[in-house]
Amino acid sequence: MLLDELVPRFEVSQRHAVIVDAPRDRTFEAVRSLDLAGSAVTRILLLGRGLLWRGHLDIDQLLGRGFLLLGEDAPRELVLGLVARPWTPLGGVRRDLDPDGFRAFDRPGYAKAGWNFTVEERGSGSRVRTETR
């Protein structure tokens, strides 16, 4: 799993999974365009940052807001990363990093987060798993 290579050490992890009645290729495409703003949890987190999000919020839009595409093995796995100070009023997102900079970053006072989506064949459908570290 790419996430294991890119974020091998972590203090907290959260995992979720869902079975989807669609083949892996189509499911992976859907993950790439998934509207994350439809999640109540995402809306609460954005509101906590002082952002009232209206409209569609997908992975490409996250990439434009400081998230990094750390790795992609389509149609199996996609890994995003973020270096920030989420406990500060403006969030302290480091927008000057590339994937190599993310891997090497170890400055105190920042949090590093990795977030993956994996899609596995499951009979005639797929299983989508996500983990945040």
Side-chain angles (χ1 to χ4, degrees):
M1 192 163 60
L2 288 173
L3 184 62
D4 292 333
E5 296 170 26
L6 297 165
V7 188
R9 295 182 328 227
F10 54 94
E11 295 177 19
V12 178
S13 174
Q14 187 165 22
R15 298 178 182 127
H16 302 278
V18 64
I19 303 297
V20 178
D21 187 20
R24 182 171 63 188
D25 291 349
R26 259 188 45 220
T27 302
F28 192 83
E29 289 175 24
V31 165
R32 283 294 255 133
S33 62
L34 181 66
D35 183 6
L36 300 165
S39 161
V41 172
T42 301
R43 286 193 311 271
I44 289 168
L45 290 172
L46 290 171
L47 189 59
R49 300 274 3 117
L51 300 171
L52 184 57
W53 192 269
R54 288 183 175 30
H56 190 81
L57 176 63
D58 61 21
I59 288 172
D60 287 335
Q61 289 169 315
L62 288 177
L63 295 175
R65 297 182 102 47
F67 279 82
L68 298 166
L69 180 60
L70 297 179
E72 185 169 2
D73 179 18
R76 293 171 189 82
E77 186 176 12
L78 169 77
V79 183
L80 302 175
L82 180 72
V83 175
R85 294 175 154 174
W87 52 86
T88 65
L90 298 177
V93 175
R94 293 292 303 262
R95 297 178 192 274
D96 60 334
L97 299 174
D98 61 12
D100 290 333
F102 175 90
R103 287 181 194 95
F105 191 89
D106 66 353
R107 190 167 156 198
Y110 284 86
K112 282 174 66 170
W115 181 18
N116 83 335
F117 295 87
T118 58
V119 181
E120 303 166 340
E121 291 180 350
R122 181 113 175 171
S124 63
S126 305
R127 179 169 82 165
V128 178
R129 293 186 308 164
T130 182
E131 181 176 356
T132 305
R133 296 178 176 178

